[in-house]
Amino acid sequence: MRRRTPPPPAPLPQRDGVDPVRVRLPAGEEWATVGEHLVARLSGAGPGVIEAMFAAGRIVGADGQAVPADAPYRPGMFVWFHRELPAEVPVPFPLPVVYRDEHIVVADKPHFLATTPRGGHVAQTALARLRHDLGIPTLSAAHRLDRLTAGLVLFTVRPEERGAYQTLFGARRVAKEYEAVAPYDAALTLPRTVRSRVLKERGVQAAREVEGEPNAETRVELAERRGALGRYRLLPRTGRTHQLRVHLNALGVPILGDPLYPEVLPPVPAGDFRRPLQLLARRLEFTDPVTGAEHTFTSGRTLLAWSSYPRWAAD
C-alpha cells in the first residue's frame, strides 16, 4: 500500500492556543482558481468572508506567503488560515496541572470546560488554555472528557509520542476511576457490573442502550450514603460516549445535574455555571509507554453536591 505523504508544517503560528485551519485542494475537481474553490467550499463562513480574507492576505501557502484569490487551482496544494473564533464566555475556573514532564501533562479539568476545540468551544478549552499558559504549542490530548465532566485529562507533549499514549486508552491499559453523586436507592443491589450496548448517533444529544452485543462495561459501587444521596465509585472497563451517565440512569439513579439523562433539558444560557454535572474523573493509573514509569494520578477536586448540597442546589 502506498504511504500518504504527510502535509508540510503549518506556516502560521497558533493563535490563543488554537492551530490554524489547513485545507488541501482535492484532486479530481476542476476549478479555475484557488479563490473560486474556497469560496464554494467554505460557504458556511458567510457572504464575503472568504473574499475578505484573501484581500487581507490571511490565506497563505506552505511558504507562509499570502495566496492571491486568482492563483491557479493546483490539486494537492495546501493552504492555511486562522478562522474567526466564536464569541465565548470565559469558563471562570482554574485548570491546575497535576503533573508535568518532558513527555506528558496531566491536568485537573473543571466542569464546563471542553477538552479540545469543537463546535462553539475553541479558545475556551483545556487544550488551548494549556498550550497558551504552559507555552507548549505541540500539546495534544491523549483522550477526552465530556465538557460537563470534571477531572483528570492526559495530554502529550511530543507529536511523535501521542500515538503511544492514545493506544493505552484504546487497548484498555489505563485504570480509570470516576466518582458521581446521585440519588440513593435502597433497592439497588451494589456492587454490580453493568454491561450493555450503548449507541450514540451523530446529531443526537443523548446516547441510548440498544439490543445487541455489549460494548460498554462499568463496575458500580456505593462508596458512601448520606440521606437521600449516594456517592458512587465507577470503574469503567470501556470508554463509550456518555457510558457512565447512561449506566447510572439505567440503574434508576441518574447523576445529579445531568441535562440529558433521564430527559433532555433545554440548553442553559451561556455563562450559567450553576449545578454542574456531579461526575468526576478521580484517578488515572498506567504504565508510561515511553519511560516505563508507573503513574498514579488523583484529582484534587470534590463534588459540590456531596460537600455542600444546599450550595449546589441553590438558584
Side-chain angles (χ1 to χ4, degrees), residues 97-108:
V97 171
V98 175
Y99 177 83
R100 175 182 177 181
D101 64 22
E102 60 185 313
H103 305 284
I104 61 174
V105 171
V106 180
D108 203 353

Side-chain angles (χ1 to χ4, degrees), residues 20-41:
V21 176
R22 184 187 72 224
V23 176
R24 184 177 187 271
L25 307 188
E29 297 188 15
E30 296 182 5
W31 297 89
T33 67
V34 175
E36 289 179 5
H37 171 72
L38 291 185
V39 167
R41 180 172 178 174

Side-chain angles (χ1 to χ4, degrees), residues 139-164:
L139 201 68
S140 296
H143 66 123
R144 292 197 319 161
L145 286 184
D146 289 343
R147 185 178 67 89
L148 299 183
T149 302
L152 299 176
V153 185
L154 174 66
F155 297 86
T156 63
V157 174
R158 299 173 175 175
E160 66 272 20
E161 295 175 351
R162 183 187 183 197

Side-chain angles (χ1 to χ4, degrees), residues 100-204:
R100 175 182 177 181
D101 64 22
E102 60 185 313
H103 305 284
I104 61 174
V105 171
V106 180
D108 203 353
K109 188 183 81 67
H111 297 286
F112 301 109
L113 187 68
T115 301
T116 56
R118 186 177 185 182
H121 306 284
V122 183
Q124 287 298 310
T125 60
L127 178 61
R129 190 185 291 188
L130 288 169
R131 281 175 170 176
H132 178 269
D133 294 349
L134 302 179
I136 308 176
T138 57
L139 201 68
S140 296
H143 66 123
R144 292 197 319 161
L145 286 184
D146 289 343
R147 185 178 67 89
L148 299 183
T149 302
L152 299 176
V153 185
L154 174 66
F155 297 86
T156 63
V157 174
R158 299 173 175 175
E160 66 272 20
E161 295 175 351
R162 183 187 183 197
Y165 290 97
Q166 288 180 312
T167 298
L168 287 177
F169 291 88
R172 303 177 185 176
R173 297 203 297 269
V174 178
K176 297 181 288 185
E177 179 182 328
Y178 288 72
E179 184 177 303
V181 178
Y184 171 75
D185 183 356
L188 180 61
T189 302
L190 295 177
R192 71 167 63 183
T193 298
V194 181
R195 298 181 183 88
S196 69
R197 186 165 190 83
V198 174
L199 175 65
K200 177 65 171 67
E201 298 171 299
R202 183 182 295 273
V204 179

